[in-house]
Amino acid sequence: MLRIITQWTEAKTELRRICDRTHDDQVVHKEATVREVLQAVKRLGDRAVLDYTLEFDHQKIKPEELRVSGSELDAAYQQVSKELLMAIQQARQQIEAFHRQRVPKSWVHFGEDEIVLGKRYTPVDRAGLYIPGGLACYPSTVLMNAVPAKVAQVPRIVMVTPPGKDKVINAAVLVAAQEAGVDEIYRVGGAQAIAALAYGTETIPKVDVITGPGNIYVTLAKKLVYGTVGIDSLAGPSEVLIIADETANPVYIAADLLAQAEHDSMAAAILLTTDSTLARKVVDEVERQLMDHPRRTLTEKAIAHYGLVAIVDSLESAAELSNDFAPEHLELEVDDPWALLQNIRHAGAIFLGSSTPEAVGDYLAGPNHTLPTSGSARYASPLGVETFLKHSSLVQYSPIALQKAANAIDILAKAEGLPSHANSVLFRVRDQLNPET
Amino acid sequence: MLRIITQWTEAKTELRRICDRTHDDQVVHKEATVREVLQAVKRLGDRAVLDYTLEFDHQKIKPEELRVSGSELDAAYQQVSKELLMAIQQARQQIEAFHRQRVPKSWVHFGEDEIVLGKRYTPVDRAGLYIPGGLACYPSTVLMNAVPAKVAQVPRIVMVTPPGKDKVINAAVLVAAQEAGVDEIYRVGGAQAIAALAYGTETIPKVDVITGPGNIYVTLAKKLVYGTVGIDSLAGPSEVLIIADETANPVYIAADLLAQAEHDSMAAAILLTTDSTLARKVVDEVERQLMDHPRRTLTEKAIAHYGLVAIVDSLESAAELSNDFAPEHLELEVDDPWALLQNIRHAGAIFLGSSTPEAVGDYLAGPNHTLPTSGSARYASPLGVETFLKHSSLVQYSPIALQKAANAIDILAKAEGLPSHANSVLFRVRDQLNPET
């Protein structure tokens, strides 16, 4: 089921195909639908939001039901087990501890001639978090989005998530949102939720930045509203790439590959190894672990289409293939992972050594699990506090500093054909040199 | 010509109109053209690039002429004055000095139970800089884009800029590119240039991140290729908002407003002042300075459509209006600019005090002049070294750390319906506790 490739060029080709798996031709058609949803919500507000919720999510919601009520929020705590609440609290605490490290701070620098230069960091006024719903329930995703916004001191954190059967939102999701400090929650998903956050409606506030993963409609909507608001990234299906040598345990590797594949039939699970014996054992072990897997059909589909084992001649070759792929998750299941790390240039999160399955990072270690997918780790970073901060440059010149700079500015402004740029400096300097005029 | 508004609500409405000035209805039509260009360049490479250059820029270029040659680069130094070269060098040095401050650094944190967490920053492999051409020549923009990429240690910096008459690229632009460390320059502009950088052609390399301002076609192309590559931002026309009290000099304010307006007939120039006498003097002075302005028609158009003076009752009110507008450039021409700064939440760059015209920052002070426009300072930051860096999270757990985390991960994974996530941890812990099995 899980294929083994031994040819370098074939491995490269297959990895390219898997990396590009989201670029399907139906996107243009779906984009037309999403554009229509965006326009309708922009024009009609709540009414359009509710109509699309009925059409797409089959839930008939009244305007006053859009916002999740205080009693519903309270009730959620009664519906989760004590163990789950404690696990959510532990995860929140560890995610916060990691995100509090090295948060960018405002600074000014005092230079010669009383020049002051600096950067001033401030949070966005409002953040909007999209949390997927449907079959799954992701309290961990709530924490991973809300905690960095809270650490950034965003004054108003708004969450949207699609209503399930009987308009219900999963209790664990509601508890996680409260533990993380989300200020308000709306029962809406899909492109209509993104539209509501981007433009605002009577009930749902317009925000400044929208984060969080979603299906293809949500992702297309985020791309289209980018520029009206900020977004974190365009998330594609999840992926793991594991580099393993002969010291790796095939049972662990198989579980790690399946932990990726069980997310989504489009998820990718790739092993690059120098050890052909390990490769065969992993293939067998994947079959074995799949046998009684509760999500067997979906997981098998992912493994069949986007699963791959490639045998490579060295760990350096594996790193080269991995850099081309730029995986969202990279596991280095090798004897000396820190040595191999030096060869890695692009990856969302890197898990080092045999006691660090990706699941540690998905839930508890602290670093964010919202990571660049589909090769975007070539240029993008994990979600973080920075996603909810922006900065302004600060510049203050003194009269003497301006005099010294005037000549160079005059020359550059005139070279660019912008005389008022030059004048804005020259008028000031002239007055300084002849204060009586 | 420059209107004065005294009503708060009218001021709010007008500022909203000016902020939204780029959202024109022709965008959808232009987007169709841009999509066609992108598809053609993706499919046909150089051939499409050259066809569109003939069609849009009216320059017939051969494939081997696309890349600016070494002899052309050498010759550029003969064509710029010694003064201009020195001004470019001074600007480059000061931009570099500012951008070298507080560059994000990789770090690891050693926690309890031998847990290692960290962030590892690496530059993108290739950066593509778009430099506008046409009527203008912007060596300063070359510096502002290339220097941060160089400070980020991007191994390959590629620049594109449209060819002028007789296929020529402005000599000052070529000199600035060489001084800043650009590795290669291609004679191509418009959406076809963005397409070439995003997809690669026979001659022009595919890059990882595209930065730099351009016209509406360039901006639409950047939005459409976002996700295939990273981009800095979607730049709109430039804007300045000046907050002034009775201590401000109307001659300087007028020059600063015109320095913005002279860029573009879509540029916005706004004054918010507590002093109605100053307001009238500024209006008169703008008229006077416009009289012999070499770009009078264009500048007058900007002032007429997107120029505004609003009289406000307090500096706090001015700050509130400014925060709603979130200006690209903000000048605080008041007695105590650092006190007023505390009320400012959103702005691209802030210029403090009467000796700091925006032109200082445009050319020489050091902070970047590529700044968030059209209200995007609510969530976005100036171009910087960070634009060319990304980071990976690092996680290493020890066997004992994994044992301690296992229970919480198990609970969370099962709550989310992801059994292989749980197994990936439990299999390891089981073996650790029973090493003989």
Side-chain angles (χ1 to χ4, degrees):
Chain A
M1 187 68 95
L2 185 56
R3 285 162 312 145
I4 298 184
I5 285 176
T6 55
Q7 295 287 321
W8 172 260
T9 48
E10 195 189 351
K12 281 202 91 140
T13 309
E14 275 298 284
L15 286 171
R16 173 57 39 211
R17 179 186 67 80
I18 294 171
C19 189
D20 289 346
R21 70 196 181 284
T22 51
H23 298 184
D24 73 286
D25 294 337
Q26 289 178 42
V27 164
V28 173
H29 170 66
K30 287 172 180 154
E31 201 175 288
T33 308
V34 170
R35 264 183 211 282
E36 191 189 301
V37 172
L38 295 179
Q39 285 305 317
V41 172
K42 192 176 182 181
R43 212 171 58 244
L44 304 173
D46 282 347
R47 211 183 94 199
V49 165
L50 299 175
D51 285 351
Y52 286 120
T53 300
L54 182 59
E55 183 179 343
F56 298 138
D57 295 323
H58 314 297
Q59 299 298 312
K60 190 168 177 59
I61 290 176
K62 301 191 195 92
E64 64 272 21
E65 292 173 331
L66 261 177
R67 182 164 174 177
V68 175
S69 69
S71 58
E72 220 173 326
L73 290 170
D74 291 344
Y77 276 94
Q78 309 309 316
Q79 292 162 41
V80 302
S81 68
K82 183 144 182 287
E83 292 70 36
L84 181 53
L85 174 61
M86 284 176 63
I88 288 171
Q89 287 171 334
Q90 185 185 344
R92 191 208 61 75
Q93 185 270 321
Q94 292 185 212
I95 295 164
E96 181 178 328
F98 181 83
H99 284 79
R100 280 206 182 285
Q101 293 199 47
R102 323 275 171 123
V103 172
K105 297 255 182 308
S106 301
W107 55 270
V108 292
H109 174 85
F110 298 91
E112 279 178 38
D113 299 322
E114 297 177 53
I115 290 174
V116 185
L117 300 177
K119 283 189 184 178
R120 182 164 174 263
Y121 287 87
T122 43
V124 299
D125 285 344
R126 297 171 183 179
L129 319 183
Y130 187 93
I131 304 299
L135 296 172
C137 115
Y138 293 122
S140 63
T141 301
V142 177
L143 299 178
M144 291 291 183
N145 280 265
V147 170
K150 202 73 191 170
V151 171
Q153 304 190 335
V154 175
R156 194 169 173 188
I157 303 173
V158 177
M159 187 177 118
V160 293
T161 190
K165 197 162 166 292
D166 300 328
K167 311 177 190 177
V168 168
I169 310 282
N170 179 277
V173 164
L174 294 181
V175 166
Q178 294 174 84
E179 292 294 318
V182 169
D183 294 294
E184 51 209 276
I185 304 172
Y186 297 92
R187 210 183 306 274
V188 56
Q192 62 271 27
I194 302 300
L197 293 173
Y199 306 123
T201 71
E202 301 90 321
T203 306
I204 300 168
K206 173 176 165 51
V207 301
D208 302 305
V209 65
I210 300 175
T211 69
N215 63 20
I216 183 71
Y217 293 99
V218 169
T219 302
L220 285 172
K222 282 171 74 180
K223 180 163 180 171
L224 289 170
V225 301
Y226 169 57
T228 301
V229 295
I231 62 170
D232 56 342
S233 63
L234 302 172
S238 198
E239 63 216 13
V240 69
L241 188 148
I242 302 173
I243 300 179
D245 63 14
E246 70 290 351
T247 67
N249 182 318
V251 177
Y252 308 166
I253 306 276
D256 295 356
L257 291 172
L258 290 174
Q260 202 59 44
E262 71 181 350
H263 267 294
D264 182 349
S265 61
M266 293 280 284
I270 297 155
L271 168 65
L272 308 180
T273 181
T274 47
D275 184 359
S276 56
T277 309
L278 179 80
R280 281 189 303 272
K281 284 184 184 166
V282 167
V283 171
D284 293 345
E285 185 61 28
V286 162
E287 286 301 297
R288 210 184 58 73
Q289 292 182 26
L290 260 174
M291 281 202 294
D292 56 353
H293 197 290
R295 294 184 177 220
R296 180 167 174 173
T297 310
L298 170 154
T299 308
E300 268 187 339
K301 200 171 160 189
I303 288 288
H305 289 107
Y306 307 117
L308 188 70
V309 177
I311 296 165
V312 291
D313 57 9
S314 68
L315 293 177
E316 291 69 31
S317 298
E320 190 184 328
L321 287 174
S322 175
N323 286 331
D324 279 355
F325 191 81
E328 182 190 15
H329 305 97
L330 173 62
E331 288 189 9
L332 304 181
E333 294 266 352
V334 298
D335 185 45
D336 188 349
W338 291 91
L340 184 55
L341 180 63
Q342 305 312 313
N343 292 52
I344 301 300
R345 290 203 313 280
H346 316 302
I350 304 173
F351 302 87
L352 297 105
S354 65
S355 293
T356 321
E358 186 206 308
V360 165
D362 289 342
Y363 291 117
L364 211 72
N368 213 286
H369 80 197
T370 310
L371 299 165
T373 57
S374 308
S376 63
R378 283 183 295 111
Y379 57 84
S381 298
L383 183 72
V385 178
E386 295 86 347
T387 311
F388 301 99
L389 293 175
K390 60 332 188 254
H391 70 262
S392 307
S393 305
L394 301 177
V395 185
Q396 183 173 42
Y397 263 46
S398 66
I400 182 72
L402 189 63
Q403 280 175 37
K404 289 188 182 177
N407 186 46
I409 295 172
D410 184 40
I411 290 166
L412 287 163
K414 284 176 180 156
E416 297 193 352
L418 299 170
S420 290
H421 279 66
N423 285 343
S424 70
V425 173
L426 298 178
F427 289 167
R428 285 167 164 92
V429 169
R430 180 192 62 192
D431 288 355
Q432 290 163 13
L433 296 175
N434 306 290
E436 71 282 5
T437 61
Chain B
M1 190 66 96
L2 186 55
R3 287 160 312 143
I4 299 184
I5 285 177
T6 56
Q7 296 286 320
W8 172 260
T9 49
E10 196 189 352
K12 281 202 90 141
T13 309
E14 275 298 281
L15 285 171
R16 174 55 40 208
R17 178 185 67 80
I18 294 172
C19 189
D20 290 344
R21 69 196 181 283
T22 49
H23 298 184
D24 74 287
D25 294 337
Q26 289 177 41
V27 164
V28 175
H29 170 66
K30 285 173 181 153
E31 203 175 284
T33 308
V34 170
R35 263 184 212 281
E36 191 189 300
V37 173
L38 295 180
Q39 285 305 318
V41 172
K42 193 177 182 180
R43 213 173 55 243
L44 303 172
D46 281 348
R47 210 183 95 198
V49 166
L50 298 175
D51 285 352
Y52 287 119
T53 301
L54 183 59
E55 182 179 343
F56 298 137
D57 294 325
H58 314 296
Q59 299 298 314
K60 191 168 176 60
I61 290 176
K62 301 191 196 93
E64 64 273 22
E65 291 173 331
L66 262 177
R67 180 164 176 177
V68 174
S69 69
S71 59
E72 222 172 325
L73 289 169
D74 291 345
Y77 275 94
Q78 310 308 317
Q79 291 161 43
V80 302
S81 68
K82 182 140 184 288
E83 292 71 35
L84 181 54
L85 174 60
M86 284 175 64
I88 288 170
Q89 287 171 333
Q90 185 184 344
R92 190 207 61 75
Q93 186 270 321
Q94 293 185 210
I95 296 164
E96 182 178 328
F98 181 83
H99 284 79
R100 280 204 182 284
Q101 293 198 45
R102 320 274 172 130
V103 172
K105 297 256 184 307
S106 301
W107 55 271
V108 292
H109 174 83
F110 298 91
E112 279 178 37
D113 298 323
E114 296 176 56
I115 290 174
V116 186
L117 300 177
K119 283 188 185 179
R120 181 162 173 264
Y121 286 87
T122 43
V124 300
D125 285 344
R126 298 171 183 180
L129 319 181
Y130 187 91
I131 304 298
L135 296 170
C137 114
Y138 294 122
S140 63
T141 301
V142 177
L143 299 178
M144 292 290 184
N145 280 267
V147 170
K150 202 74 192 168
V151 171
Q153 304 190 332
V154 176
R156 192 167 173 189
I157 302 174
V158 176
M159 186 177 118
V160 294
T161 190
K165 198 165 165 292
D166 300 328
K167 311 177 191 177
V168 167
I169 309 283
N170 178 277
V173 163
L174 294 181
V175 166
Q178 293 175 84
E179 292 293 320
V182 169
D183 294 293
E184 52 209 279
I185 304 172
Y186 297 92
R187 210 184 304 273
V188 54
Q192 63 272 26
I194 301 300
L197 292 173
Y199 306 122
T201 71
E202 301 89 321
T203 307
I204 300 168
K206 172 175 167 51
V207 301
D208 301 305
V209 64
I210 301 175
T211 70
N215 63 20
I216 183 71
Y217 293 99
V218 169
T219 301
L220 285 172
K222 282 171 73 179
K223 180 164 179 169
L224 289 171
V225 300
Y226 168 56
T228 302
V229 296
I231 63 171
D232 56 343
S233 63
L234 302 172
S238 198
E239 64 216 12
V240 70
L241 187 149
I242 302 174
I243 300 179
D245 63 14
E246 71 287 352
T247 67
N249 183 318
V251 178
Y252 307 166
I253 306 276
D256 295 355
L257 292 171
L258 290 174
Q260 201 59 46
E262 71 183 348
H263 268 294
D264 183 348
S265 60
M266 294 280 285
I270 296 154
L271 169 64
L272 308 180
T273 180
T274 48
D275 185 358
S276 58
T277 311
L278 178 80
R280 283 190 301 275
K281 283 185 183 163
V282 167
V283 171
D284 292 347
E285 185 61 28
V286 162
E287 286 301 295
R288 210 185 58 70
Q289 292 183 27
L290 260 175
M291 281 203 296
D292 55 354
H293 198 291
R295 292 184 178 220
R296 181 167 173 173
T297 310
L298 169 156
T299 309
E300 268 186 340
K301 200 171 159 192
I303 290 287
H305 290 108
Y306 308 116
L308 187 70
V309 177
I311 296 166
V312 290
D313 56 9
S314 68
L315 293 178
E316 291 69 31
S317 299
E320 191 183 328
L321 286 173
S322 176
N323 286 331
D324 280 355
F325 190 81
E328 181 191 15
H329 305 97
L330 173 63
E331 288 189 8
L332 304 181
E333 294 266 351
V334 297
D335 185 45
D336 188 348
W338 291 91
L340 184 54
L341 179 64
Q342 304 313 312
N343 293 49
I344 301 301
R345 289 203 314 279
H346 316 301
I350 304 173
F351 303 87
L352 297 105
S354 66
S355 292
T356 320
E358 186 205 307
V360 165
D362 289 340
Y363 291 117
L364 211 70
N368 213 286
H369 79 196
T370 309
L371 299 165
T373 58
S374 308
S376 63
R378 284 185 292 111
Y379 57 83
S381 299
L383 183 73
V385 178
E386 295 86 346
T387 312
F388 301 100
L389 292 176
K390 46 14 183 225
H391 69 263
S392 307
S393 304
L394 301 178
V395 184
Q396 184 174 39
Y397 263 46
S398 65
I400 182 72
L402 189 63
Q403 279 175 37
K404 289 188 181 177
N407 186 45
I409 295 172
D410 185 39
I411 291 166
L412 287 163
K414 284 177 180 156
E416 297 194 352
L418 299 170
S420 290
H421 280 65
N423 286 343
S424 71
V425 173
L426 297 179
F427 289 168
R428 285 166 165 95
V429 170
R430 181 192 61 193
D431 289 353
Q432 288 163 13
L433 296 176
N434 305 291
E436 71 280 6
T437 63

